[in-house]
Each structure stands twice: as C-alpha cells, then as structure tokens.
Amino acid sequence: QVQLVESGGGLVQPGGSLRLSCAASGRIFSIGNMGWYRQAPGKQREMVAIITRSSSLNYADSVKGRFTISRDNAKNMLYLQMNSLKAEDTAVYYCYAEMKTRLVGGMSDYWGQGTQVTVSS
C-alpha cells in the first residue's frame, strides 16, 4: 500500500517552531513534485510550499521567510521547517506528492492524512 504519512504536528506558542515530516512508503517507482498544503476550519485548502524533484521551490506569500520546505530523495522524505509561527498558521497540514506506483502509466496525485498544527498562547 503506497501512502504518505505526516508527523511532527502539535501545539506551539506564537513565535515558536515546529518541523513537519512526511514519509512516502510502499511500492514507489519514482516521486515527482512534493508539497505541503494546509486547511483551516471553514477555509479552502491552500498551498503552503512546493518542492520539485530537482529542488526548485515555491512558497505561499504568507509563509515566505518563515517556512522552509526540503526533501530527501534517497529516503523518500519531505520536510517543512516552520519558524516564527503565528496563530494564523493553525491548520491541518497535508503532505502531497506526485508518485509513480505502477510500471504502466505515469504519475498520480497522493495525499497524506494530515497533521494538526495549533499555534496558541
């Protein structure tokens, strides 16, 4: 079973830091673009950061300068270092990856189950 599993979420005070991890596992032939998305209650899911296979980066304006996305292709891992956290960062954070999981066919979209990040005093 191919899956993405996030970890590292939790409760943190404003100004604090968290590091999220996403592990891809299963029968994976290749991984393309990966990213982090988040969804706050009552809001649409939004892109937080994207990193391509070759490590090109794209960040939402709201997190630029505070968050850093990275990946370890050898370990099939994705990370999000979140610094200077604000209450507005509170959301469920989801890992996303394009993955080839069959010999026949190309990439398909995969999503993790999400991990809760709560920034509160």
Side-chain angles (χ1 to χ4, degrees):
Q1 181 69 44
V2 175
Q3 59 181 353
L4 299 171
V5 179
E6 304 96 335
S7 61
L11 175 64
V12 64
Q13 294 184 338
S17 298
L18 281 175
R19 182 174 174 84
L20 304 183
S21 298
C22 173
S25 63
R27 189 176 61 185
I28 302 168
F29 295 104
S30 64
I31 303 177
N33 298 336
M34 303 183 81
W36 290 97
Y37 292 71
R38 67 187 182 188
Q39 187 166 25
K43 300 187 68 177
Q44 295 287 122
R45 184 175 298 188
E46 65 175 350
M47 185 273 287
V48 176
I50 292 173
I51 182 168
T52 68
R53 172 76 187 188
S54 59
S55 296
S56 294
L57 307 174
N58 188 33
Y59 294 96
D61 288 342
S62 60
V63 307
K64 285 181 179 177
R66 300 188 297 120
F67 291 10
T68 303
I69 189 171
S70 61
R71 63 192 289 169
D72 186 331
N73 293 334
K75 299 180 185 291
N76 289 344
M77 293 287 293
L78 177 71
Y79 306 97
L80 185 68
Q81 179 66 47
M82 304 186 294
N83 298 327
S84 302
L85 283 161
K86 306 174 180 178
E88 308 91 86
D89 296 318
T90 296
V92 176
Y93 284 70
Y94 297 91
C95 176
Y96 162 83
E98 298 173 332
M99 295 194 287
K100 179 176 172 62
T101 61
R102 298 165 297 172
L103 271 177
V104 178
M107 298 286 190
S108 296
D109 296 337
Y110 290 84
W111 293 90
Q113 83 289 345
T115 185
Q116 177 71 48
V117 172
T118 302
V119 185
S120 177
S121 299

